[in-house]
Amino acid sequence: KNEAFDKLSGKYINVISGYNIEEDSWFDLEKFSPDYVFYSRPYVKEYPSLYRPEKVSKYAKICYTTYGFDFTLGYHIEVNYNKRLMPYTYMIFCEGRASIDYCKKMYSNKGKKIYDLGYARFDLIHKIKSQIIPRKEIKNILWIPRWSLDKVTGDGTSFFEYIEDLISFFTEEKYRNLGLIIRPHPLMFSNFLQKKVMSQQEIDELYDRINHIDNISFDNEDDYMTSAAKADLILADFSSLLIEFAMLNIPILYCGSNSKFDETGHILDGAMYHVGDYNSVTEALEVIMKNDSLKEKREKAIREIGKNLDGQIGMNIAIEILDDANSSRGH
């Protein structure tokens, strides 16, 4: 089952299925003989052994651009730019100020090329923003509960704390005109099963309940930005997606901690509404529906954080690759 290949092969010409089910084998990347290989996920142990950076770096130049925007200090940035991946990386395309500073401190004296060109996923934001039709009132709320249970790093889930109360709220007659879209982190339910905090029967029963409520739904779209573009307000745990949602100029009710935020995180933090429990969620929702008081702060944060929000970040990265290739060939 290769959902990524199915989706992308219908959209692009040059797509390779990494795994051959019939032959039970992985695509031979070395025979393909690439000059550059991009990694976007830092979790080395999740790659098949022949795709791990220590092997790929022997025949190709490894480039790295992280799948998520890092705006925290400590744990998260150390994971995203970890010592199992970075030693084999040739070009590092950082997404923000904190990662630039961290990589220059850790890796610039080790022959790495480090770039500050912006966060490539912002190019998608640039495209989506042009398609969004501004609405004057809040109709759709997107809830993105996190997968993890612990609160050690400020990123525990709000799912168990809010799920029943939110169902009750949105099924009240006076709020039936509002819609709630629930998009859990892709690992959330599998983690709950593994940790034995939910059973498969409980998950199935919850889906069945939601399927019978007209104005509440689980988001099953491939692209999380599809629902974000529909949302008038977002209820969020800690997530790297906070930056992307903020760039869409959507009000955010934030349930997580800000104790580990870096300079960029604090700019974002000042443009979000903070909620600590279910009652503060509903109170904030009632207030925002009448007056989105943080709108100007959000727009200022967009200018400060997304200064390269011009749709050209991916192109600028490609230009650096071409320049490097040409200089390597001596022309």
Side-chain angles (χ1 to χ4, degrees):
K1 186 178 181 182
N2 194 335
E3 294 173 349
F5 176 73
D6 293 341
K7 179 180 174 63
L8 295 174
S9 59
K11 190 173 182 181
Y12 301 106
I13 297 171
N14 297 317
V15 183
I16 294 167
S17 181
Y19 183 70
N20 187 313
I21 297 174
E22 287 78 19
E23 298 179 6
D24 187 26
S25 64
W26 293 96
F27 175 79
D28 192 332
L29 188 60
E30 185 171 3
K31 272 189 183 175
F32 185 67
S33 192
D35 297 300
Y36 298 85
V37 174
F38 270 85
Y39 284 73
S40 62
R41 292 177 64 80
Y43 314 116
V44 171
K45 66 180 181 180
E46 293 184 359
Y47 291 99
S49 61
L50 76 168
Y51 291 162
R52 290 184 180 174
E54 62 266 31
K55 291 191 177 181
V56 176
S57 64
K58 291 176 181 177
Y59 56 82
K61 293 177 177 178
I62 290 182
C63 305
Y64 180 66
T65 175
T66 179
Y67 73 100
F69 194 112
D70 210 326
F71 49 91
T72 61
L73 301 168
Y75 173 77
H76 291 283
I77 201 162
E78 290 165 5
V79 169
N80 279 345
Y81 295 90
N82 68 76
K83 293 178 181 178
R84 293 188 67 185
L85 173 61
M86 291 300 109
Y88 303 101
T89 303
Y90 175 68
M91 304 173 88
I92 305 171
F93 296 97
C94 296
E95 81 285 5
R97 187 74 262 151
S99 58
I100 280 286
D101 293 343
Y102 182 81
C103 288
K104 284 185 175 179
K105 176 183 176 183
M106 298 293 292
Y107 305 116
S108 61
N109 64 344
K110 297 178 181 177
K112 308 302 176 189
K113 293 192 171 188
I114 300 169
Y115 298 85
D116 182 13
L117 299 176
Y119 184 42
R121 293 189 63 82
F122 280 171
D123 288 353
L124 301 179
I125 303 295
H126 176 79
K127 182 178 179 181
I128 290 167
K129 283 186 81 168
S130 65
Q131 300 169 352
I132 294 177
I133 301 172
R135 291 180 286 267
K136 292 183 178 179
E137 56 183 343
I138 291 175
K139 287 291 185 182
N140 294 309
I141 291 90
L142 175 63
W143 179 31
I144 53 168
R146 189 164 171 77
W147 64 279
S148 59
L149 296 171
D150 66 274
K151 299 244 180 198
V152 175
T153 56
D155 58 6
T157 185
S158 64
F159 180 79
F160 294 105
E161 187 176 356
Y162 292 166
I163 181 63
E164 290 300 330
D165 285 327
L166 285 174
I167 290 174
S168 297
F169 178 85
F170 282 90
T171 50
E172 283 186 41
E173 190 59 40
K174 64 178 178 176
Y175 298 119
R176 297 288 292 192
N177 63 320
L178 299 177
L180 175 66
I181 303 168
I182 307 171
R183 187 178 181 94
H185 187 284
L187 296 177
M188 191 182 84
F189 283 123
S190 60
N191 186 51
F192 291 173
L193 285 170
Q194 183 183 357
K195 301 291 186 183
K196 295 184 171 23
V197 294
M198 282 189 86
S199 67
Q200 188 60 58
Q201 181 179 343
E202 288 173 321
I203 294 169
D204 293 342
E205 288 174 354
L206 177 62
Y207 267 87
D208 186 60
R209 281 176 68 195
I210 297 301
N211 287 338
H212 286 86
I213 302 173
D214 292 340
N215 62 329
I216 305 179
S217 63
F218 276 107
D219 179 12
N220 296 313
E221 295 282 350
D222 292 329
D223 188 348
Y224 60 87
M225 276 297 167
T226 302
S227 291
K230 298 176 186 173
D232 304 303
L233 184 141
I234 292 171
L235 176 63
D237 292 337
F238 175 81
S239 170
S240 62
L241 300 184
L242 287 171
I243 287 277
E244 296 181 47
F245 292 145
M247 294 300 103
L248 287 173
N249 201 5
I250 301 171
I252 297 172
L253 298 182
Y254 181 51
C255 310
S257 168
N258 60 4
S259 62
K260 302 290 186 182
F261 282 8
D262 64 14
E263 183 181 349
T264 300
H266 284 300
I267 294 171
L268 171 67
D269 192 50
M272 297 190 296
Y273 299 91
H274 288 258
V275 290
D277 54 31
Y278 169 71
N279 289 333
S280 62
V281 169
T282 53
E283 288 169 8
L285 181 58
E286 294 275 11
V287 170
I288 296 167
M289 283 195 288
K290 296 173 185 174
N291 177 33
D292 178 10
S293 60
L294 290 181
K295 188 172 185 294
E296 288 187 9
K297 280 193 174 182
R298 255 193 336 273
E299 290 169 348
K300 183 181 178 184
I302 289 171
R303 292 192 295 271
E304 291 185 50
I305 298 171
K307 55 182 180 298
N308 295 331
L309 206 64
D310 58 3
Q312 297 298 309
I313 297 169
M315 179 61 74
N316 292 335
I317 290 174
I319 289 169
E320 293 295 341
I321 296 287
L322 291 171
D323 285 348
D324 182 79
N326 288 332
S327 64
S328 298
R329 296 188 188 107
H331 58 80

